[in-house]
Amino acid sequence: MGRFFSEIMTTNYLVEKSKGILKLVPEYRDEGKGYQAFNDGSVEAEVGDFLYGMTRILRPVFVLETGTYKGVSSAYIGQALKDNGRGTLDTCEINDLHIETAKQLWATLEIFPKWIKPHRIESLKYEAIYNYDLMFLDSEPNLRFHELVRFYPHLSEGGYAFIHDCPPSLTQGNINPDHPEIESWPFGNLPEEIKTWVKEDKLRVIHFPNPRGMTGFYRVRRDEYKWL
């Protein structure tokens, strides 16, 4: 890709290099802000650019993703790992077709298999053996809080975990008339573990205004200045 990549938008580069696999369309939940996407399930292009930037800044050795889907968010992260010259993305997916579709994209972008390692497994059954500086949780909504709980022990101090599609309300108290049996639809009630980590200042929360929503969790380092 060369040293002049910084002069090119990440999204534009990936779209061109994908040879027609990636096609930008307006984000239908955009509300006039100009966001773009590739489909109704993958990340917005701007969120992809953000993930690329975070990966470039953090220089992680290991990244964890849940919900590979069509491999779009993985492509941004994988490209950043390639540009960093180090790191591996572990990404979990249960659908064989999604995995094969993603592999085709990654191979075309020349970031697979060196930078991305797909796992055909339910996210909550995945046994993490590394510590991760960056996590992107984007599987089924009702699993994502539980994924944070499961993988928190493997989130490095100073690391970040992002939950896609998660608005500032965290959907707490939300009622869907079509699914009245599900409390706080669709994410479910916030686990007590996450509440405790936030109250004890072990996790710090930040919300993003992208159309589909995103909430980030930062794991505090023990050597940080104590504000409270």
Side-chain angles (χ1 to χ4, degrees), residues 12-167:
N12 291 346
Y13 172 81
L14 294 178
V15 168
E16 181 177 352
K17 191 172 180 64
S18 75
K19 300 178 181 179
I21 297 176
L22 293 176
K23 298 178 181 179
L24 281 169
V25 296
E27 165 57 45
Y28 76 92
R29 286 160 285 204
D30 176 51
E31 298 181 351
K33 295 181 180 179
Y35 281 84
Q36 293 181 296
F38 301 97
N39 53 64
D40 62 356
S42 301
V43 295
E44 306 94 319
E46 291 78 7
V47 171
D49 284 325
F50 172 82
L51 292 173
Y52 175 87
M54 286 296 295
T55 307
R56 291 285 278 156
I57 290 170
L58 294 175
R59 291 293 202 273
V61 177
F62 298 106
V63 181
L64 176 65
E65 176 186 61
T66 64
T68 309
Y69 193 43
K70 297 181 182 296
V72 174
S73 50
S74 309
Y76 282 93
I77 296 170
Q79 184 63 57
L81 294 174
K82 181 179 180 180
D83 294 341
N84 289 345
R86 55 177 273 175
T88 300
L89 169 64
D90 289 308
T91 180
C92 300
E93 174 60 55
I94 61 172
N95 185 297
D96 289 324
L97 179 59
H98 291 337
I99 293 173
E100 293 308 313
T101 299
K103 284 182 178 179
Q104 180 184 359
L105 171 63
W106 303 333
T108 303
L109 296 175
E110 300 179 319
I111 53 176
F112 178 77
K114 184 173 183 178
W115 308 103
I116 302 176
K117 186 176 181 180
H119 303 271
R120 191 194 181 285
I121 191 171
E122 295 176 22
S123 60
L124 295 178
K125 293 182 179 179
Y126 178 69
E127 296 288 345
I129 60 174
Y130 308 112
N131 282 345
Y132 296 94
D133 298 313
L134 177 62
M135 298 180 180
F136 187 63
L137 309 180
D138 198 19
S139 61
E140 292 300 319
N142 63 301
L143 300 179
R144 295 179 206 178
F145 289 152
H146 301 289
E147 290 169 349
L148 180 58
V149 172
R150 177 170 177 81
F151 298 123
Y152 172 82
H154 294 276
L155 179 61
S156 302
E157 290 187 6
Y160 294 81
F162 296 98
I163 299 181
H164 194 224
D165 304 307
C166 192

Side-chain angles (χ1 to χ4, degrees), residues 189-207:
N189 292 332
L190 193 65
E192 290 300 319
E193 294 94 331
I194 297 177
K195 293 180 182 179
T196 299
W197 294 328
V198 173
K199 289 177 181 178
E200 294 179 350
D201 197 36
K202 294 179 179 178
L203 284 179
R204 294 176 185 166
V205 185
I206 184 169
H207 301 288

